[in-house]
């Protein structure tokens, strides 16, 4: 589904790579947490998957396509298979809930009939059925994030990328969002979530990929925010040079 | 559906950037007016050339007893010399170029002179023998006057061979200078228009950066994202072009035909037909320039 081969990402004017020779594979339907300190390369990873950035070295395959060979004309069509959610929601403030979700379908040329059917469905799924006419500023943070998630999944993407989706939310609201993401994952969507939220990661017990200074230091199935077990190497991964973080209970 | 969506985006973009759009309209309006004026001047030059060159003749002035110019030596041209000139004009070398030749004696030249300049000071002192006898040569192609000038000019008894087109050259070079000035101003203004359109489009894109970000994220095609901005530029430039076209048509109708036409009735002026040739040129130039500069501006803004 997502495969990184020796991917290195260097930003201009910065000698230290944001990602350093990262090799990993994420399979269909997996729920993956991407953890690590700020600046460890989580966001670069997500941006590379979206082809918002191109790697300095190495190859990235997403949904069977080699992103290095994807022409800029085809990038938009590729992105229609991905949904993205951000910490800051990124809703359009002058559009109501329905229009915010409908907008993402309008601009990729979906028919009015399709939009009239798909948008209420997805709003019902994220639990906003009664609030279709509200403007974003009339909603709570959790509700705004639900709108953003609805927008991301309304086109039934194969992959959902979430960049700290609970970063601005209180724990109770975060739990609601996580329950929603889990439901989405159960319907077969691959979910890749970058987060700082130790509580959520520990509670969910899903695959955890930890980045330190642009390198994968841990790739653990059913892991916590910090490791409690010997690191499990994923498909094709070279043994990591950095010692895994070990927590003393 | 998508067309409606694009048009509503265009409408909101134009409304949001109203003052910039007005400035784009004005700058394209003025620059294209100059472009149109330059083209009309060229038409006018062409028309006048066609008209006057047809009437222009080559004059062969024969020697008088008072002249030392050319081949003259204070001796009146003899009948033999006149016959030689006439023979040369009818020779196989020149005959194909010549439409017809007429000859004016001293008396005829004097009569014409009196008619034209009789009331000017000093004309009383002029006698027929002052004025040279003249062959008037009409050419089939006025631009070949040089051949006549060269082959007749050196014959005995010829004072001077004068191509009348030379009298018109200063007028045409003045008109040409005016039209090049107009083109120069137009070029400068067009550069300003192009830059202004690019700036306007970038502003418009900036004010809609949230929407643009989401469009790119959810995979709206580049063409879909760009089209509203390109149309925004094209529409505002087209408004300017239409205004410029209107001014050009009014200029020809009321200034050239109305005012100039009544002032100088024997001069041929361009008509509305010429103005209507200029109109589509202005519309196309305006639209193409706007589309190109908007396209460049927006694709630089959207570059990943």
């Amino acid at each position: 589904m997502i495969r990184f081969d020796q991917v290195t990402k260097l930003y201009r004017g910065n000698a230290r790579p944001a990602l350093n020779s990262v090799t990993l594979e994420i399979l269909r339907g997996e729920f993956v947490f991407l953890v690590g300190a700020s600046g460890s390369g989580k966001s670069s990873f997500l941006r590379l998957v979206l082809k918002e950035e191109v790697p300095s070295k190495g190859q990235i395959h997403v949904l069977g396509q080699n992103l290095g060979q994807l022409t800029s004309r085809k990038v938009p069509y590729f992105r229609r298979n991905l949904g993205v959610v951000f910490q800051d929601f990124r809703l359009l403030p002058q559009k109501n809930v329905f229009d915010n979700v409908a907008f993402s379908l309008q601009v990729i040329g979906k028919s009015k009939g399709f939009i009239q059917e798909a948008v209420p469905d997805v709003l019902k799924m994220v639990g906003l059925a009664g609030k279709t006419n509200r403007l974003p500023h009339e909603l709570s943070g959790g509700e705004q994030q639900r709108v953003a998630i609805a927008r991301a999944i309304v086109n039934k993407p194969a992959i959902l990328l979430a960049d700290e989706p609970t970063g601005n939310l209180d724990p109770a609201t975060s739990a609601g969002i996580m329950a929603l993401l889990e439901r989405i994952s159960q319907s077969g969507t691959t979910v890749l979530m970058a987060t700082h939220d130790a509580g959520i990661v520990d509670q969910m017990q899903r695959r955890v990929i930890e980045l330190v200074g642009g390198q994968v230091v841990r790739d653990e199935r059913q892991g916590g925010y910090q490791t409690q077990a010997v690191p499990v190497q994923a498909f094709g991964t070279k043994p990591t040079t950095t010692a895994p973080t070990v927590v003393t209970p | 559906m998508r067309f409606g969506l694009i048009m509503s985006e265009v409408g909101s973009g134009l409304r949001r950037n109203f003052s910039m759009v007005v400035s784009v309209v004005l700058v394209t309006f003025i620059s294209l007016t100059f472009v149109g004026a330059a083209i009309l001047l060229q038409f006018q030059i062409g028309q006048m050339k066609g008209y006057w060159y047809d009437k222009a003749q080559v004059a062969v002035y024969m020697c008088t007893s008072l002249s030392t110019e050319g081949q003259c030596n204070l001796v009146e041209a003899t009948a033999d010399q006149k016959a030689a000139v006439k023979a040369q004009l009818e020779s196989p070398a020149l005959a194909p170029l010549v439409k017809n030749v007429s000859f004016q004696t001293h008396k005829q030249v004097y009569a014409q002179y009196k008619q034209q300049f009789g009331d000017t000071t000093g004309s009383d002192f002029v006698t027929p023998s002052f004025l040279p006898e003249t062959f008037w040569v009409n050419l089939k192609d006025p631009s070949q006057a040089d051949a006549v000038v060269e082959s007749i000019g050196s014959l005995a008894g010829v004072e001077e061979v004068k191509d009348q087109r030379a009298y018109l050259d200063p007028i045409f070079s003045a008109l040409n200078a005016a039209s090049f000035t107009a083109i120069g101003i137009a070029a400068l203004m067009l550069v300003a228009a192009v830059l202004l359109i690019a700036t306007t489009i970038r502003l418009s894109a900036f004010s809609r950066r949230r929407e643009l970000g989401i469009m790119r994220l959810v995979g709206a095609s580049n063409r879909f994202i760009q089209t509203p901005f390109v149309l925004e530029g094209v529409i505002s430039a087209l408004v300017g072009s239409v205004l410029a076209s209107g001014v050009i048509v009014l200029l020809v109708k009321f200034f050239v035909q109305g005012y100039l036409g009544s002032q100088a009735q024997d001069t041929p002026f361009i008509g509305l037909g010429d103005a209507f040739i200029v109109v589509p040129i202005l519309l196309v130039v305006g639209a193409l320039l706007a589309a190109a500069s908007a396209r460049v501006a927006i694709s630089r803004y959207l570059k990943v």
Side-chain angles (χ1 to χ4, degrees):
Chain A
M1 191 111 276
I2 300 175
R3 197 170 86 225
F4 275 50
D5 277 328
Q6 304 284 329
V7 172
T8 298
K9 176 65 190 174
L10 272 162
Y11 288 105
R12 232 176 4 158
N14 191 349
R16 210 174 58 85
L19 284 178
N20 192 357
S21 194
V22 169
T23 300
L24 57 82
E25 175 152 23
I26 293 167
L27 302 175
R28 176 181 295 274
E30 274 192 297
F31 194 119
V32 181
F33 287 112
L34 204 55
V35 301
S38 295
S40 60
K42 302 190 299 291
S43 294
S44 291
F45 188 96
L46 295 182
R47 290 170 65 80
L48 284 167
V49 173
L50 263 176
K51 214 191 175 209
E52 289 229 43
E53 304 276 357
V54 288
S56 314
K57 250 188 279 176
Q59 294 214 323
I60 301 172
H61 287 81
V62 177
L63 296 166
Q65 303 200 58
N66 184 344
L67 295 196
Q69 287 169 0
L70 204 61
T71 60
S72 60
R73 187 189 293 266
K74 285 184 179 159
V75 168
Y77 301 94
F78 160 73
R79 286 191 185 145
R80 290 179 191 184
N81 303 309
L82 304 171
V84 196
V85 181
F86 298 95
Q87 180 176 3
D88 57 358
F89 319 137
R90 303 208 185 163
L91 301 176
L92 299 174
Q94 73 282 15
K95 287 192 195 295
N96 67 26
V97 169
F98 182 94
D99 290 340
N100 258 291
V101 178
F103 181 73
S104 70
L105 291 176
Q106 284 169 348
V107 299
I108 60 172
K110 294 290 186 188
S111 72
K112 216 168 202 162
F114 180 86
I115 292 170
Q116 290 297 343
E117 220 162 272
V119 176
D121 271 3
V122 76
L123 286 177
K124 197 170 151 205
M125 183 196 168
V126 300
L128 289 174
K131 305 197 166 170
T132 52
N133 290 322
R134 301 283 191 87
L135 289 172
H137 70 263
E138 298 168 342
L139 300 174
S140 72
E143 286 167 334
Q144 289 186 43
Q145 191 60 293
R146 284 170 191 269
V147 178
I149 292 172
R151 183 178 65 195
I153 62 170
V154 67
N155 197 29
K156 309 243 178 299
I159 299 172
L160 179 64
L161 304 175
D163 195 354
E164 301 187 26
T166 58
N168 280 350
L169 305 175
D170 64 75
T173 313
S174 298
I177 295 293
M178 290 318 296
L180 176 56
L181 289 180
E182 193 164 20
R183 274 227 309 287
I184 293 165
S185 165
Q186 276 160 7
S187 70
T189 305
T190 307
V191 180
L192 179 56
M193 171 169 162
T195 187
H196 284 300
D197 197 326
I200 288 173
V201 180
D202 288 339
Q203 194 202 341
M204 298 272 291
Q205 291 292 307
R206 297 303 183 101
R207 181 176 172 187
V208 175
I209 297 170
E210 182 172 352
L211 291 168
V212 172
Q215 284 181 313
V216 177
V217 297
R218 176 162 66 103
D219 187 347
E220 194 178 1
R221 309 214 176 253
Q222 298 179 345
Y225 189 70
Q226 288 172 317
T227 189
Q228 287 138 10
V230 178
V232 176
Q233 294 303 326
F235 169 84
T237 319
K238 279 194 301 186
T240 50
T241 47
T242 319
T245 332
V246 177
V247 76
T248 39
Chain B
M1 166 71 201
R2 290 192 79 183
F3 179 75
L5 187 66
I6 287 177
M7 288 325 282
S8 78
E9 297 279 325
V10 171
S12 72
L14 289 175
R15 252 174 285 126
R16 211 175 315 196
N17 275 324
F18 187 70
S19 61
M20 286 300 278
V21 168
V22 169
S23 59
V24 167
V25 167
L26 290 179
V27 171
T28 43
F29 165 37
I30 293 171
S31 55
L32 289 175
T33 304
F34 274 104
V35 172
I39 299 174
L40 285 181
L41 262 173
Q42 285 299 330
F43 281 167
Q44 178 64 34
I45 291 171
Q47 190 129 358
M48 284 170 78
K49 270 188 179 162
Y51 181 79
W52 288 114
Y53 279 7
D54 261 4
K55 301 202 161 180
Q57 294 170 312
V58 176
V60 181
Y61 299 112
M62 301 308 292
C63 288
T64 63
S65 56
L66 299 166
S67 171
T68 57
E69 307 269 316
Q71 315 303 322
C72 306
N73 194 10
L74 296 176
V75 179
E76 175 80 19
T78 63
D80 283 351
Q81 288 169 339
K82 283 181 256 179
V85 169
K86 190 145 177 58
Q88 182 72 8
L89 284 170
E90 286 162 1
S91 72
L94 292 182
L97 305 178
V98 175
K99 201 192 279 171
N100 59 53
V101 179
S102 61
F103 181 73
Q104 281 185 315
T105 61
H106 285 300
K107 277 208 169 107
Q108 287 166 327
V109 175
Y110 181 72
Q112 194 178 4
Y113 174 83
K114 270 295 184 197
Q115 189 194 339
Q116 285 176 351
F117 302 104
D119 51 356
T120 50
T121 332
S123 66
D124 292 344
F125 298 105
V126 176
T127 62
S129 59
F130 271 49
L131 299 167
E133 294 176 304
T134 310
F135 287 99
W136 291 104
V137 183
N138 276 318
L139 294 175
K140 285 177 184 154
D141 177 3
S143 66
Q144 286 176 315
D146 283 349
V148 178
V149 174
E150 268 173 38
S151 75
I152 307 284
S154 56
L155 291 180
V158 174
E159 183 188 25
E160 194 188 5
V161 183
K162 186 91 185 167
D163 178 6
Q164 285 188 318
R165 286 192 310 158
Y167 296 121
L168 297 168
D169 284 347
I171 299 173
F172 290 134
S173 55
L175 285 174
N176 257 327
S179 107
F180 286 133
T181 310
I183 288 172
I185 294 173
L188 279 180
M189 294 293 289
L190 283 179
V191 170
V194 163
L195 294 178
L196 197 58
I197 290 168
T199 310
T200 306
I201 295 308
R202 239 170 261 155
L203 260 181
S204 182
F206 184 76
S207 68
R208 294 177 52 217
R209 61 194 181 283
R210 275 207 188 89
E211 282 90 339
L212 286 177
I214 288 164
M215 284 192 212
R216 290 182 47 204
L217 211 58
V218 301
S221 66
N222 292 342
R223 182 178 301 231
F224 179 85
I225 296 177
Q226 287 171 358
T227 304
F229 293 101
V230 172
L231 283 182
E232 238 170 79
V234 168
I235 286 175
S236 34
L238 268 183
V239 173
S241 312
V242 168
L243 289 176
S245 304
V247 166
I248 289 296
V249 170
L250 293 179
L251 193 76
V252 169
K253 186 163 170 56
F254 291 108
F255 179 70
V256 176
Q257 292 199 312
Y259 176 72
L260 290 181
S262 68
Q263 292 291 306
Q265 280 166 349
D266 55 343
T267 311
F269 284 113
I270 46 172
L272 280 178
D274 297 296
F276 287 123
I277 296 174
V278 174
V279 167
I281 296 176
L282 296 188
L283 295 180
V284 169
V285 166
L288 281 184
L289 276 181
S293 66
R295 182 72 207 270
V296 169
I298 193 64
S299 46
R300 284 176 72 187
Y301 193 88
L302 289 178
K303 199 165 274 176
V304 182

